[in-house]
Amino acid sequence: MSSEEFLKGRGAQQNTSNRFLQHVYEMREEFLEFCRLEGEEAESNKTRYIPIFPKTIVNKVDSPDVGMGYSMNPYQGCEHGCIYCYARNTHEYWGYSAGLDFERRILVKESAPKLLETKIKHKKWKAQTIVLSGNTDCYQPAEQKFGITRKCLEVFLKYRHPVGIITKNALVLRDLDILKELNKHQLVGVNISVTSLSEKTRRKLEPRTASIQKRLKTIQVLSENNIPVNAMLAPMIPGINSHELLPLAKAVAEHGALSFGLTVVRLNGAIGQIFSDWIKKAMPDRAEKVLHQIQDCHGGTLNDSRFGTRTKGEGKIAEQIHEMAHLARKRYFKDKTFPRLNMELHEEYKDGQMKLF
């Protein structure tokens, strides 16, 4: 694909087939040629927001590889378009493709705040950190339009319930007022994803995300307001950003992060095909090298589903990444600790106000 044909502003360059659907939709050359001659678009590249109406919003996370017990996702699909995103596969459960559909068909759960309130008011519910979001970014561009994440944070504050946030968008600072109130009671921790210090790399890997400087500034502002920040230096992709691990750790530490986490990239399900197609178009000079190095981290395959190793990787390349991480923690995060959130207040506020008796 020539640079003129490369679909800018999106991560995926194709729509892969949905494994759950009986029929496959494809655009053939005859149709594409007809559209070209008629001066028409074969398909729209615009983002569509589609309302959905789930019965529940809080999900129990059973995976032993994920450091959270419960998560909730105000949106399914993500316009950020990160090419490596593990959440792409979940879009197939909704009847869409893990490729371009994941970035252009955003499912919106406007009932999320009410469903959250119902959940945490239930008499049998005991406070445990609920993470916004375990799957897709709660501060993706859709949040500017719908404001669902902010409404959920208001619910967490009302009921004094602990909440974690994972995002790579500076929009989180819009809600600094609520975050400061939550933090007065030690009820919030924020995870900011930073995958590279190179804007060129960032634009290729994550085309619709906040710039690196904005993310570092976000860490700084949150930290200046004493809101605990963990940096997610993930995923580490050998041959693309793994060599940046030490300078990344240094940068986030200097901007106030208290800790960092990382994963070694894995390309499960449809993501293997999507990523392979993308890198051969976006980085043709190093595509095969990168794919082979990823395979070296996962027993010779891109598709690694083994608990315990799938996010850590194995082999020499993965070992080198984890050795650098160990060195980074000793050098830049000595005597820093990410605090535990407060689980004790919620029971007193289950009715939305403190119980007097």
Side-chain angles (χ1 to χ4, degrees), residues 11 19 92 117 190 198 212 279 305:
R19 56 187 161 146
E92 294 185 338
E117 187 173 29
V190 182
S198 163
I212 301 304
I279 197 170
S305 299

Side-chain angles (χ1 to χ4, degrees), residues 2 23 25 28 33 48 72 78-79 81-82 85 101 121 149 162 170 178 188 233 279 298 301 312 319 322:
S2 68
H23 302 289
Y25 172 82
R28 299 199 169 183
E33 179 63 12
R48 285 177 53 198
M72 61 175 291
C78 185
E79 200 173 354
C82 304
C85 182
D101 280 354
K121 283 181 66 176
T149 297
I178 302 178
V188 68
L233 311 183
I279 197 170
H298 297 291
T301 179
K312 296 178 181 178
E319 288 174 4
H322 290 296

Side-chain angles (χ1 to χ4, degrees), residues 19 61 66 68 71 73 82-93 98 102 131 133-137 166 168 232 234-235 263 265-271 310-311:
R19 56 187 161 146
V61 180
V66 180
M68 66 181 80
S71 73
N73 299 280
C82 304
I83 191 61
Y84 52 75
C85 182
Y86 62 84
R88 287 182 177 275
N89 288 321
T90 62
H91 225 44
E92 294 185 338
Y93 301 138
F102 177 77
V131 177
S133 304
N135 198 38
T136 54
D137 201 315
I166 304 174
K168 55 187 63 175
M232 291 301 298
T263 60
V265 70
R266 63 188 185 99
L267 304 173
N268 280 29
I271 307 169
R310 59 181 187 168
T311 58

Side-chain angles (χ1 to χ4, degrees), residues 244-307:
E244 296 188 72
L245 179 50
L246 283 173
L248 272 170
K250 182 175 186 289
V252 297
E254 289 176 346
H255 283 79
L258 297 176
S259 58
F260 76 88
L262 65 85
T263 60
V264 175
V265 70
R266 63 188 185 99
L267 304 173
N268 280 29
I271 307 169
Q273 178 182 338
I274 294 166
F275 185 94
S276 298
D277 172 72
W278 166 84
I279 197 170
K280 289 173 183 177
K281 296 168 181 175
M283 303 178 179
D285 56 326
R286 59 174 125 165
E288 292 303 323
K289 178 181 178 181
V290 170
L291 291 172
H292 286 315
Q293 289 186 341
I294 294 173
Q295 290 171 337
D296 284 345
C297 292
H298 297 291
T301 179
L302 297 175
N303 194 336
D304 190 349
S305 299
R306 298 169 295 167
F307 288 135

Side-chain angles (χ1 to χ4, degrees), residues 173-279:
L173 293 180
R174 178 202 64 186
D175 297 333
L176 187 59
D177 57 335
I178 302 178
L179 298 178
K180 288 165 67 175
E181 289 299 313
L182 284 163
N183 193 53
K184 286 180 181 178
H185 308 286
Q186 204 171 328
L187 292 171
V188 68
V190 182
N191 300 269
I192 303 292
S193 174
V194 188
T195 46
S196 176
L197 295 177
S198 163
E199 270 299 296
K200 182 179 179 181
T201 301
R202 195 275 307 169
R203 284 192 295 268
K204 287 185 176 181
L205 284 175
E206 308 164 344
R208 297 200 180 192
T209 56
S211 70
I212 301 304
Q213 287 306 312
K214 283 186 177 180
R215 291 189 223 180
L216 293 175
K217 183 65 175 178
T218 298
I219 294 174
Q220 180 180 332
V221 172
L222 291 171
S223 300
E224 287 173 348
N225 285 276
N226 298 315
I227 296 167
V229 178
N230 172 70
M232 291 301 298
L233 311 183
M236 287 287 107
I237 308 174
I240 295 183
N241 70 339
S242 58
H243 64 285
E244 296 188 72
L245 179 50
L246 283 173
L248 272 170
K250 182 175 186 289
V252 297
E254 289 176 346
H255 283 79
L258 297 176
S259 58
F260 76 88
L262 65 85
T263 60
V264 175
V265 70
R266 63 188 185 99
L267 304 173
N268 280 29
I271 307 169
Q273 178 182 338
I274 294 166
F275 185 94
S276 298
D277 172 72
W278 166 84
I279 197 170

Side-chain angles (χ1 to χ4, degrees), residues 15-28:
N15 257 337
T16 49
S17 299
N18 187 321
R19 56 187 161 146
F20 298 113
L21 299 183
Q22 181 179 0
H23 302 289
V24 176
Y25 172 82
E26 62 180 35
M27 286 188 290
R28 299 199 169 183

